[in-house]
Amino acid sequence: MATEGAARRGCGEALAVLLSRVLLRPTIPPSFYLLAASLLLTTGCRRDEVTHFRVAKPAAAPAPAMPAAAGGPMMGGAPPGMAGDVAPPPAPDGGLTWTLPKGWSEKKAGGMRYATFTPNVAGKIDGSVVVLPGPAGGELQNVNRWRNQIGLAPIDEGGLASARTVVKTKAGALSVYDFTSDGQVKSRVIAGLLEARGSTWFVKLSGDATAVATARADFLRLMESLRLE
């Protein structure tokens, strides 16, 4: 490069001046000029050197850990018990059984809805057997729930006693209630409940009033046949 060449020419001219002074001034010891030339060669006339330093790149700081969501990890699905996935209580040992009327069909479901049966009649109708642990809220509360399902007002303890019919079964005394809704389009519910072996059993027939009336006699015989396994 041009700069490097100019530096070398400057060093050569300086050496020539030192040599000429040695010749013109013999009284000065030659060793003095030799020392000066040596210094000039080792300091001023060598190529400029650039020393490179390698600086270690600092290690990247680890990413902060994401806090786990309350109740479980964010990914991988919803924790168990969320979105209404609560398992129903298991059916008690030694469940309720009955004699199915001729022409009816049934399906054992397990869990709270222990069984579903369908009478052989026209119209909208549904039969069920439900089991819950303990007193299941009590008789009055459940009777008023059935009344509410067909649009009737709740009753008190006095109304409960007057509406109750007791049916004797091999499983125990069954409290039976029969309600029909008001209005032109009538609905009807016939339901019985009994407590046995620490659970409450509900046997229920509901639907269009006409369909329930047609199936009523067979349903009463089904309730009379209740027994424990």
Side-chain angles (χ1 to χ4, degrees), residues 144-154 179-183 185 187-189:
N144 280 327
R145 176 170 54 85
W146 296 330
R147 289 176 60 84
N148 180 68
Q149 289 172 354
I150 59 174
L152 296 178
F179 302 114
T180 302
S181 69
D182 300 322
V185 180
S187 299
R188 186 172 179 179
V189 55

Side-chain angles (χ1 to χ4, degrees), residues 147-217:
R147 289 176 60 84
N148 180 68
Q149 289 172 354
I150 59 174
L152 296 178
I155 56 177
D156 57 14
E157 290 287 351
L160 185 71
S162 62
R164 181 192 300 120
T165 299
V166 178
V167 176
K168 294 182 179 180
T169 75
K170 291 182 178 179
L174 180 73
S175 297
V176 179
Y177 297 88
D178 188 343
F179 302 114
T180 302
S181 69
D182 300 322
Q184 290 184 335
V185 180
K186 297 185 182 297
S187 299
R188 186 172 179 179
V189 55
I190 304 174
L193 61 86
L194 66 83
E195 293 187 32
R197 298 177 181 173
S199 299
T200 301
W201 293 85
F202 303 91
V203 185
K204 179 183 172 187
L205 187 68
S206 62
D208 297 336
T210 302
V212 173
T214 303
R216 180 180 179 276

Side-chain angles (χ1 to χ4, degrees), residues 8-227:
R8 289 182 177 179
R9 286 195 299 272
C11 290
E13 292 174 357
L15 289 174
V17 170
L18 285 175
L19 291 175
S20 63
R21 289 185 177 181
V22 170
L23 295 175
L24 293 176
R25 296 184 181 185
T27 57
I28 297 176
S31 60
F32 171 80
Y33 294 103
L34 291 175
L35 178 60
S38 174
L39 292 173
L40 183 63
L41 289 172
T42 58
T43 60
C45 295
R46 68 179 182 175
R47 290 180 59 183
D48 291 338
E49 296 180 358
V50 179
T51 305
H52 298 276
F53 297 92
R54 185 179 298 274
V55 179
K57 184 178 180 180
M66 293 295 294
M74 292 175 62
M75 302 298 292
M82 296 201 55
D85 293 336
V86 179
D93 295 334
L96 200 66
T97 188
W98 52 85
T99 300
L100 193 68
K102 185 178 181 180
W104 289 31
S105 61
E106 71 174 29
K107 180 179 180 181
K108 292 289 184 68
M112 289 185 295
R113 190 171 180 110
Y114 186 74
T116 297
F117 46 80
T118 305
N120 186 22
V121 298
K124 181 180 178 182
I125 194 167
D126 176 70
S128 64
V129 178
V130 172
V131 57
L132 293 175
E139 187 170 346
L140 179 62
Q141 179 177 327
N142 284 288
V143 168
N144 280 327
R145 176 170 54 85
W146 296 330
R147 289 176 60 84
N148 180 68
Q149 289 172 354
I150 59 174
L152 296 178
I155 56 177
D156 57 14
E157 290 287 351
L160 185 71
S162 62
R164 181 192 300 120
T165 299
V166 178
V167 176
K168 294 182 179 180
T169 75
K170 291 182 178 179
L174 180 73
S175 297
V176 179
Y177 297 88
D178 188 343
F179 302 114
T180 302
S181 69
D182 300 322
Q184 290 184 335
V185 180
K186 297 185 182 297
S187 299
R188 186 172 179 179
V189 55
I190 304 174
L193 61 86
L194 66 83
E195 293 187 32
R197 298 177 181 173
S199 299
T200 301
W201 293 85
F202 303 91
V203 185
K204 179 183 172 187
L205 187 68
S206 62
D208 297 336
T210 302
V212 173
T214 303
R216 180 180 179 276
D218 283 339
F219 183 57
L220 289 176
R221 282 191 288 270
L222 182 149
M223 288 193 291
E224 290 170 353
S225 72
L226 294 176
R227 55 197 179 273

